[in-house]
Amino acid sequence: MPDVLDASPYDSLLLLSFGGPEGPDDVVPFLENVTRGRGIPKERLKEVGQHYFLFGGVSPINDQNRALLDALRKDFAEHGLDLPVYWGNRNWAPYLTDTLREMVRDGRRRILVLATSAYASYSGCRQYRENLADALAALESEGLELPEVDKLRHYFNHPGFVEPMVDGLVRSLAELPEEVRDGAHIAFCTHSIPTSAADTSGPVEEHGDGGAYVRQHLDVAQVIADAVRERTGVDHPWQLVYQSRSGAPHIPWLEPDICDHLEERQAAGAPAVVMAPIGFVSDHMEVLYDLDTEATAKAAELGLPVRRSATVGADPRFAAAVRDLVVERAGAERGRPAAPCALGSLGASHNLCPVGCCPARAPRPAAAGADSPYA
């Protein structure tokens, strides 16, 4: 069935990620990139960078993206999908603009983008689309022929993203002492964002209390909890909690914070907690520091047994999910749509971000959407 693995009209896939420092000397310049335009003093950035210095100034995210690149290329080759895979970052090398320039010079004209963020939000979707628009504008100023760029849909509820998280959670529960295992509480963890950004996440019709961001997380958490119950025979209580808050303290962000939540669970008599970082594709710094370091230390202080389940990372099932998403989108572009894979009650996300979806903090052009100036 050759058409099943036909990526046309696309000629390449771009893995688009956040980026991270790869040594102590990179930390402050990296944070300057992240906070550009906010006027944060360098001394404050050095304080923030202590999280990175604890790990030798190296964020794991770049190595994890390299592993994902290898997994994608291996999966595509094994299944006969002829689609070169490139990699570009928002905040560190390889920079997005440099990668897009390389792709154009390689003759790539129809590019699909996989962002390492599974959910709808400004920082997880719209901002990446703004980065793409900035990169295209830079190439245009250089007189280069601009490619057409599309972004793959949100994949938070694709089986290839969900099933590895179910397995990781079941393994973590099994690692708990038997006497506390069945009563363990599950804390589904994701990145906190300002409530104003959450409320306006997703298409306009989904705006409201928590918007698509909270709704999507709650839906996939229920799917995972149900699957864990089927696998273990135990119905574990669970809650969606947040981590990695930053910014001015007077601005409301999504709560409860994971450390506050651990205190609440211990006070309520929970015998143990498993932290399941469903909001993250891989074990990058927010997972290593905020969960494995800070939250785990809080649990030890409370005398509360705690485990942290694995993220999806470069799991072969996730690579297969990306292949499925590519073929799905390519078929739709050729006028041959297929039923998309999606678990839970929300169904598959849109292919094209509509006007008003995850609006910008300030008006800026964004590529790969209905409001793209590069359509």
Side-chain angles (χ1 to χ4, degrees), residues 191-210:
H191 207 300
S192 185
I193 61 175
T195 55
S196 59
D199 293 346
T200 56
S201 57
V204 172
E205 61 271 18
E206 295 182 28
H207 292 180
D209 186 16

Side-chain angles (χ1 to χ4, degrees), residues 97-118:
T97 301
D98 295 336
T99 299
L100 272 182
R101 185 184 298 110
E102 176 190 359
M103 296 176 80
V104 168
R105 289 174 174 167
D106 285 349
R108 310 303 175 194
R109 295 294 176 264
R110 289 295 305 271
I111 299 171
L112 263 178
V113 177
L114 168 70
T116 54
S117 177

Side-chain angles (χ1 to χ4, degrees), residues 266-284:
Q266 191 270 343
V273 173
V274 173
M275 302 179 292
I278 62 171
F280 303 90
V281 172
S282 63
D283 288 5
H284 51 70

